[in-house]
Structure formats: C-alpha cells, structure tokens
C-alpha cells in the first residue's frame, strides 16, 4: 500500500537512519494499521492482485482507488500524527 510505504518514509525522516530507532516505530505503525485494516499490502487490502495488469484494471473498474484507498491514506496519517 502506498500509504503504508509513505508512512515508513515519514518515520525514517522523523527518527533518523538509525535502525534501532526506526524499526520499533515501523513495527508500531504496522500493528496499528493492521488492527484497523487487517493487512498492509495493496492486493490484500483491495482484494485483487495488484501485481497483475488485470488486477489493476479490476481495481480501477470497481472504483477501489476512490472508495477504499482514501481511507487507508487517512488512517496512515492519523497513526503518524500520534507517532511523530
């Protein structure tokens, strides 16, 4: 999920490149995001194979990028707001 990946980048910038500081933050983010949504990856979150061309088309056809993805971005931002 792009929202998850972006969150990792924000955490890295906020807490520096030292693994011992960043990894626990990433783990905490993952735990909270998974508690809200059950998964971290696009294919699992959207229920289509995003690695396949047909999966991307299916997600677009079903409007998943407009109906589901904004909620994932919002959740990631809310979680980050508490962490940074």
């Amino acid at each position: 999920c792009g929202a998850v990946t972006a969150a990792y980048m924000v955490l890295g910038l906020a807490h520096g490149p030292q693994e011992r500081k960043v990894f626990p933050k990433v783990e905490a983010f993952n735990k909270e995001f998974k508690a809200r949504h059950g998964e971290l990856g696009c294919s699992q979150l959207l229920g289509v194979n995003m690695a396949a061309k047909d999966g991307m088309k299916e997600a677009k056809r079903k409007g998943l990028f407009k109906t589901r993805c904004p909620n994932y971005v919002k959740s990631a931002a809310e979680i980050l707001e508490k962490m940074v």
Side-chain angles (χ1 to χ4, degrees):
C1 175
V4 171
T5 303
Y8 297 163
M9 290 188 280
V10 169
L11 290 170
L13 287 170
H15 298 286
Q18 298 172 350
E19 291 178 13
R20 68 187 192 328
K21 290 184 179 181
V22 175
F23 283 177
K25 299 291 185 182
V26 168
E27 289 173 356
F29 175 88
N30 288 348
K31 183 178 179 181
E32 177 67 24
F33 193 89
K34 285 176 89 173
R36 293 183 185 203
H37 303 291
E39 298 288 346
L40 296 172
C42 288
S43 294
Q44 296 82 10
L45 289 166
L46 299 179
V48 297
N49 182 1
M50 295 300 288
K53 207 173 194 179
D54 290 341
M56 291 284 287
K57 287 180 183 177
E58 182 181 355
K60 188 173 181 179
R61 181 181 55 77
K62 290 182 175 180
L64 300 177
F65 300 126
K66 292 181 181 179
T67 58
R68 292 194 190 174
C69 293
N71 190 42
Y72 302 137
V73 172
K74 181 181 177 194
S75 287
E78 290 170 352
I79 297 165
L80 282 173
E81 190 173 45
K82 293 188 290 185
M83 298 180 75
V84 181

